Amino acid sequence: TESAINQVKKELKELHPEWTEEYTDLYVKSAGLTIYTTQNSSFQHIMEEEVKKDKYIVRSKTQIDEDGNYKIGQTAMVLIDHKTGYVLATVGSIGEKTAVFGWNRATDALRSPGSTIKPLAVVSPGIDKGIITAATVFDDISYSSGPYQGFKNYGYAYKGLITVRYAIAASQNIPMLKGITRIGVQTSMDFLRSVGISTLREENANINLTLGALDVSPLEMAAAYAAIANDGVYIEPTFYTKVIDSEGKEVLVKKQERRTVMSSAAAYVVKEVLTEVVRSGAGGYTAIPGISVAAKTGTSQNDEDRWYCGFTPYYTAATWFGFDKKETVVYAAGNPAGRIWDGVMETIHQGLSG
């Protein structure tokens, strides 16, 4: 609801540039408006309950709060119906929600997406343009000179000749650096912009873009993955559908941008590649019995940001976990973002199949 109100305020100001922040606030609070939100109250409750669990408390090793306690890691999650672009639920913190109408990590936090950007920066545009396929082979080896000098795989693990499908499943960096070199950094930038990544700057035009060398919000990552899930059609995410005043007049009606960003055939292949992450890769614990799950894990430099982005035939979700002031996240059960994603998605898919 808070995100819906913030979106309504922003769009009212765009409609009435002469309105001040104060007047817009006052109008929304006192004009007797009815906001038709996209929130699914049941899913919102499930998400809020999941992040209250003690198992997600990760304490800082260095940062102290005003009470003298070590600060805890935070999270943000966005759940979208990819067929409509409706945001069904969001959370922006671990534990009980305290701030109201404040800064929201789900929509406002900009962090490095790590390897979750690989399907968007390389695999999707490469397959759509016919430059690579799921079976394209790259040589996954270490380099001491040339364009890949200084880049490494996580844990210094190299696998030799490997297909795009298995390079994504194992989250190998070298094959994706070769992939972005082959398709061209500009092709990658263009595709990222087409799926709603608004934070790209010219300084991001580098091959390390495919390793997460940019900052992006959980909302934009969810919407970008939703485009793959929605057969290659990007739909601008929204928190509301319309706003009416006390007299029943329409004040705002949300018109979402929609655009085809890749062919449905290419989207199908990318989905198949991402199911391998759950079938044989690092996302095995997020499998949902009877449901097809496609996903990608992400870890930024020094393990400061942990991500999990993915979808089923029903819903798309992106989850981030980390400290507001960057610090290595140490979590015994692997990837806390993935664990939260799994806890929420398992619950909301109960009774569904496909």
Side-chain angles (χ1 to χ4, degrees):
T1 308
E2 180 188 324
S3 297
I5 292 168
N6 288 338
Q7 187 185 0
V8 165
K9 282 183 189 172
K10 179 171 171 277
E11 292 179 9
L12 280 169
K13 271 191 64 64
E14 286 168 6
L15 202 60
H16 305 282
E18 72 281 6
W19 287 12
T20 62
E21 286 287 344
E22 291 75 19
Y23 181 80
T24 309
D25 264 352
L26 186 65
Y27 176 75
V28 169
K29 281 176 188 156
S30 59
L33 301 180
T34 302
I35 299 172
Y36 290 80
T37 76
T38 59
Q39 180 177 296
N40 179 312
S41 300
S42 167
F43 292 177
Q44 182 65 35
H45 178 72
I46 287 164
M47 200 182 277
E48 288 175 5
E49 289 302 304
E50 186 66 30
V51 299
K52 286 179 191 171
K53 293 177 180 175
D54 287 347
K55 64 182 177 180
Y56 301 125
I57 291 176
V58 177
R59 297 223 169 256
S60 166
K61 301 280 192 288
T62 58
Q63 302 177 49
I64 309 280
D65 66 18
E66 55 271 22
D67 298 321
N69 301 314
Y70 283 106
K71 289 187 176 181
I72 61 169
Q74 293 296 339
T75 195
M77 183 173 186
V78 177
L79 177 72
I80 290 181
D81 178 342
H82 47 252
K83 296 179 185 73
T84 61
Y86 291 176
V87 180
L88 303 175
T90 63
V91 291
S93 60
I94 282 289
E96 293 281 354
K97 184 167 177 274
T98 50
V100 178
F101 295 113
W103 182 77
N104 185 339
R105 293 178 188 89
T107 54
D108 305 325
L110 300 177
R111 301 294 288 241
S112 163
S115 291
T116 57
I117 207 72
K118 288 172 180 173
L120 304 170
V122 178
V123 183
S124 293
I127 288 173
D128 188 51
K129 292 195 175 296
I131 301 169
I132 59 171
T133 71
T136 296
V137 173
F138 290 109
D139 202 359
D140 182 22
I141 56 174
S142 65
Y143 287 86
S144 55
S145 62
Y148 308 120
Q149 181 185 356
F151 291 107
K152 63 181 182 0
N153 287 333
Y154 194 76
Y156 299 92
Y158 300 92
K159 295 181 178 290
L161 297 176
I162 191 170
T163 62
V164 166
R165 178 191 298 272
Y166 289 104
I168 284 290
S171 206
Q172 299 300 93
N173 291 336
I174 300 300
M176 291 301 109
L177 288 162
K178 292 181 174 181
I180 197 170
T181 302
R182 186 174 294 184
I183 72 168
V185 172
Q186 195 56 52
T187 299
S188 180
M189 298 269 285
D190 291 346
F191 186 83
L192 289 169
R193 287 195 177 107
S194 78
V195 291
I197 306 298
S198 65
T199 47
L200 279 174
R201 302 290 175 264
E202 280 317 303
E203 59 262 31
N204 300 126
N206 195 292
I207 62 170
N208 64 2
L209 180 62
T210 192
L211 305 184
L214 76 160
D215 291 321
V216 63
S217 71
L219 175 63
E220 289 194 353
M221 286 303 288
Y225 269 73
I228 304 170
N230 192 37
D231 301 325
V233 179
Y234 171 83
I235 305 176
E236 178 192 2
T238 188
F239 293 91
Y240 80 95
T241 56
K242 65 178 177 177
V243 180
I244 59 172
D245 66 15
S246 54
E247 293 164 8
K249 287 209 299 278
E250 287 182 341
V251 175
L252 283 175
V253 177
K254 183 62 186 172
K255 291 182 172 62
Q256 294 159 272
E257 275 187 55
R258 291 167 185 258
R259 53 183 172 266
T260 300
V261 296
M262 63 198 295
S263 72
S264 58
Y268 175 81
V269 175
V270 178
K271 285 183 207 180
E272 280 301 297
V273 168
L274 294 176
T275 59
E276 198 63 52
V277 174
V278 180
R279 229 184 346 256
S280 71
Y285 60 92
T286 63
I288 302 172
I291 302 272
S292 172
V293 179
K296 184 71 193 76
T297 57
T299 306
S300 71
Q301 265 190 315
N302 304 319
D303 293 3
E304 290 170 343
D305 301 280
R306 308 303 301 273
W307 287 81
Y308 204 84
C309 301
F311 50 83
T312 68
Y314 299 94
Y315 307 111
T316 298
T319 309
W320 166 85
F321 191 101
F323 291 93
D324 289 333
K325 184 183 172 194
K326 292 182 181 182
E327 179 180 330
T328 297
V329 174
V330 180
Y331 188 68
N335 180 352
R339 297 289 171 182
I340 292 168
W341 191 98
D342 180 55
V344 172
M345 294 293 263
E346 287 258 10
T347 308
I348 69 171
H349 283 82
Q350 281 172 9
L352 299 176
S353 62

